[in-house]
Amino acid sequence: MTQSPAADTASADTAADVLIVGSGAAGLTAALALPDHLRVTVLAKGALDEGSTAWAQGGIAAVLEPGDTFEHHVRDTVIAGAGLNDPAVVEQVVGRAPAAIERLRELGVPFAEEGGALHLTREGGHSHRRIVHVADATGWAVQEALLRAAAARPNIRLLPDRVAVDLATGRHEERYSGAGNVWGVYAADRRTGRVELHTGRATILATGGAGRAYLFSTAPAGATGDGIAMAWRAGARVSNMEFMQFHPTCLYDLRVKNFLITEAVRGEGGRLVNPATGERFMARYDPERLELAPRDVVARAIDAEIKRHGLDYVHLDISHQPPDFVRAHFPNIHEKLTGLGIDMTREPIPVVPAQHYTCGGIVIDADGRTDLPGLYAAGECTQSGLHGANRLASNSLLECFVYGEAAADHIGRHLDTLPPVPPIRPWDESRVTHSDEEVVIKQNWTEIRRFMWNYVGIVRTTKRLQRAASRIRLMRDEVADYYGHFRVTPDLIELRNLLEVADLIVRCALARHESRGLHYTLDYPDTLATAADTVLVP
Ligand SMILES: Cc1cc2nc3c(=O)[nH]c(=O)nc-3n(C[C@H](O)[C@H](O)[C@H](O)COP(=O)(O)OP(=O)(O)OC[C@H]3O[C@@H](n4cnc5c(N)ncnc54)[C@H](O)[C@@H]3O)c2cc1C
């Protein structure tokens, strides 16, 4: 038995002109850029500020420094992306960055200034100072400003605690079937447990990344790739999912699993040490730059040590610096670690690399359009062509602003050409019962994240990927059976989506017979002369 829509249509209460799934930088930017005569609904699966946006630390990249040029920013982006970026897209995004920053200032984001001008920092891979920031909590300030502005707009409804389950498409209703048109989503209301139909003549997916497919990820708990999985199930192409960015140093602590230890700790002298041998091992991997080698080099070195010695983690040690120096430079990290029983002024910090950013996703065009009529997407859930095989630091928030606006602009100009929402069946809740086997969900959830970590992590082999693929096949049957028989819960929705995105990651990784950017496989260590996206067609 499958859960499927029954009869009737959305009530006026859940019918909007434009439905946006996601209240992060991409979703709220789109909401604010839509004409204010349109009724806009924004759904979030938990609290409105629970996405990655609020967690962004560093800042947003834009050409603002005298002497810097768009060409430089484009070149840095393409070098990071290992030549897989779409040059036209990179130019479009980079060119629109200064205006996006200006709009954020108008919304009240208090970017750091120096001498009356914006203060710009420099990050790895950038040839110039071009990162605007709000101390080390840029994302929080951006999220706050966008939410404040959206809440003040009478045409925007913000609905937290609605977990989208699937897209409402023409396919559910043969009578109204129109080439996979999308007219909204079915979403579970956490407070009532009921699945409601939310309609929109246009729908924008802005659901963020899929980092939580991995045991260690710096992303928030909700980053389970829901939008990517929903779009794929509905028939949209997905691309480049093999390019998962890993941050080299995340705290190893099974209670926390997502606490980032900033690169600055290595910048201030922190040493990476193998806890089994006591060796400062970076000398073997990058004798010149040691701990300050690029992120992917350091992440791969740590991964190699962990795999070779069967370790759970390596040590990051800054205890040779004076305690006052460590406390002054890293007050937040020091406080957090002290709370977990680690005194970083006297002992090493256990660290592992952690998934950090999802470069691939739903294929979109320059207007944020997906393959499905009526469905747009923006932000980390997409593959726009900007990042290629590796994201340049601080380009990701920028992508959210540019594509949030692009989608809104296109919808504003073309909404009238989209078919009106036909009667669509609401979710059929009569046939499903509550499960008394929640343990199945917990067990599968942990298992996926572990095998993705072990088999589909930083260094891959065909054999490991195939192992992961066969686990996924087994678990999909089990979860499909479970999904068909029991009432959907947020955990079950996320588990189903995690399996879907795990499958997409593995399929993309198996399809790429080379190593490029973030995808490194021992079976194909070389980079091919011609760069091509991995595109999966449903
Ligand atoms: C620790 C950390 C630091 C970072 N630092 C930077 C940085 O300095 N600069 C930079 O450019 N980038 C940075 N990034 C990346 C950047 O934060 C993200 O790429 C960006 O914020 C993604 O925004 P988004 O709008 O696409 O998604 P998010 O901000 O993740 O928002 C996703 C939204 O979708 C909703 N959602 C998801 N699934 C569902 C569902 N099923 N139903 C309903 N709603 C759903 C969520 O509730 C949420 O509202 C960082 C990321 C992390 C994790």
Side-chain angles (χ1 to χ4, degrees):
M1 182 171 72
T2 54
Q3 294 183 44
S4 58
D8 206 24
T9 188
S11 69
D13 199 34
T14 54
D17 294 315
V18 183
L19 180 72
I20 300 175
V21 190
S23 59
L28 292 178
T29 299
L32 290 166
L34 282 162
D36 52 18
H37 66 272
L38 296 178
R39 292 167 305 149
V40 179
T41 296
V42 180
L43 307 181
K45 74 195 308 190
L48 293 166
D49 57 5
E50 262 178 18
S52 290
T53 297
W55 292 31
Q57 298 170 345
I60 307 159
V63 172
L64 296 163
E65 189 191 48
D68 193 7
T69 62
F70 291 142
E71 288 73 32
H72 287 140
H73 192 175
V74 167
R75 197 177 56 218
D76 294 344
T77 302
V78 173
I79 289 172
L84 200 59
N85 326 62
D86 179 333
V89 167
V90 181
E91 278 170 32
Q92 164 178 310
V93 175
V94 162
R96 293 186 188 178
I101 302 297
E102 198 41 49
R103 274 190 286 280
L104 289 169
R105 291 182 91 182
E106 284 163 16
L107 289 179
V109 177
F111 289 119
E113 294 185 15
E114 200 174 61
L118 285 171
H119 180 256
L120 304 171
T121 60
R122 187 163 165 184
E123 286 185 337
H126 288 274
S127 57
H128 285 75
R129 286 186 166 270
R130 62 169 77 103
I131 316 299
V132 297
H133 63 104
V134 183
D136 62 353
T138 309
W140 183 249
V142 167
Q143 179 78 64
E144 233 183 358
L146 291 172
L147 271 176
R148 205 180 325 115
R153 284 271 294 268
N155 67 317
I156 299 176
R157 285 181 81 207
L158 299 169
L159 297 181
D161 291 325
R162 307 305 202 282
V163 190
V165 185
D166 258 322
L167 294 168
T169 68
R171 291 182 181 188
H172 291 307
E173 257 304 352
E174 268 172 38
R175 279 175 299 156
Y176 303 108
S177 158
N181 251 300
V182 173
W183 284 297
V185 299
Y186 297 94
D189 184 332
R190 281 184 191 272
R191 299 157 315 168
T192 62
R194 291 183 59 79
V195 178
E196 295 165 342
L197 171 62
H198 291 265
T199 60
R201 208 155 162 184
T203 301
I204 304 176
L205 289 174
T207 44
R212 285 306 182 108
Y214 288 89
L215 185 60
F216 291 95
S217 168
T218 61
T224 48
D226 297 0
I228 299 171
M230 286 191 286
W232 171 254
R233 282 195 291 268
R237 282 172 307 155
V238 165
S239 167
N240 288 356
M241 290 298 290
E242 69 274 38
F243 298 117
M244 280 288 172
Q245 191 173 67
F246 288 81
H247 194 284
T249 54
C250 168
L251 174 69
Y252 177 82
D253 184 307
L254 294 178
R255 291 164 294 178
V256 184
K257 296 203 193 89
N258 64 355
F259 186 64
L260 196 74
I261 309 289
T262 163
E263 221 147 317
V265 173
R266 280 174 285 131
E268 297 302 335
R271 298 166 183 162
L272 285 165
V273 177
N274 182 318
T277 62
E279 184 198 7
R280 186 178 173 188
F281 56 83
M282 278 311 297
R284 267 190 289 115
Y285 295 91
D286 199 315
E288 298 261 305
R289 295 172 292 186
L290 299 169
E291 281 82 3
L292 294 180
R295 274 185 190 179
D296 53 332
V297 175
V298 179
R300 230 172 271 153
I302 296 176
D303 184 71
E305 291 297 300
I306 286 176
K307 292 237 162 65
R308 186 169 305 141
H309 295 268
L311 307 170
D312 286 328
Y313 53 82
V314 298
H315 277 149
L316 175 59
D317 194 356
I318 193 162
S319 62
H320 53 281
Q321 298 282 27
D324 285 347
F325 173 92
V326 173
R327 277 191 290 265
H329 275 76
F330 308 108
N332 293 325
I333 296 178
H334 179 262
E335 190 187 322
K336 175 84 178 179
L337 293 181
T338 304
L340 292 166
I342 300 166
D343 180 355
M344 69 188 287
T345 66
R346 296 156 59 97
E347 58 188 322
I349 309 164
V351 293
V352 283
Q355 190 284 346
H356 188 52
Y357 186 78
T358 309
C359 291
I362 308 160
V363 176
I364 55 167
D365 70 8
D367 295 311
R369 281 185 296 177
T370 71
D371 295 334
L372 306 179
L375 184 67
Y376 295 72
E380 195 171 334
C381 66
T382 66
Q383 204 289 85
S384 65
L386 174 65
H387 304 301
N390 193 357
R391 169 194 73 133
L392 181 65
S394 291
N395 267 356
S396 35
L397 280 170
L398 178 58
E399 183 185 41
C400 295
F401 305 128
V402 171
Y403 278 95
E405 281 196 11
D409 181 58
H410 193 269
I411 291 170
R413 286 184 289 115
H414 295 93
L415 195 67
D416 291 346
T417 65
L418 292 170
V421 179
I424 297 176
R425 293 180 174 193
W427 197 259
D428 178 7
E429 308 233 28
S430 62
R431 292 179 289 161
V432 288
T433 53
H434 287 284
S435 151
D436 55 359
E437 289 276 3
E438 291 295 316
V439 64
V440 174
I441 294 179
K442 288 256 162 343
Q443 163 67 26
N444 280 331
W445 179 285
T446 311
E447 196 179 332
I448 300 172
R449 299 181 68 209
R450 272 197 185 280
F451 74 66
M452 288 300 286
W453 182 251
N454 288 328
Y455 298 156
V456 196
I458 297 166
V459 177
R460 298 160 181 175
T461 66
T462 303
K463 210 177 204 168
R464 286 183 202 157
L465 293 173
Q466 284 165 344
R467 246 178 229 149
S470 65
R471 297 278 175 101
I472 290 170
R473 270 195 297 278
L474 286 175
M475 289 171 76
R476 282 183 91 171
D477 290 346
E478 193 172 315
V479 170
D481 184 53
Y482 201 81
Y483 178 80
H485 284 85
F486 297 110
R487 181 177 287 277
V488 291
T489 60
D491 282 351
L492 178 56
I493 295 165
E494 289 188 337
L495 175 65
R496 179 174 174 242
N497 291 332
L498 272 186
L499 264 178
E500 198 82 74
V501 291
D503 184 47
L504 295 170
I505 297 166
V506 171
R507 285 170 62 179
C508 284
L510 278 169
R512 185 167 290 281
H513 291 176
E514 63 166 346
S515 292
R516 181 186 296 274
L518 298 164
H519 175 70
Y520 184 76
T521 163
L522 295 175
D523 291 302
Y524 302 99
D526 299 327
T527 304
L528 297 177
T530 320
D533 290 328
T534 312
V535 182
L536 300 179
V537 182

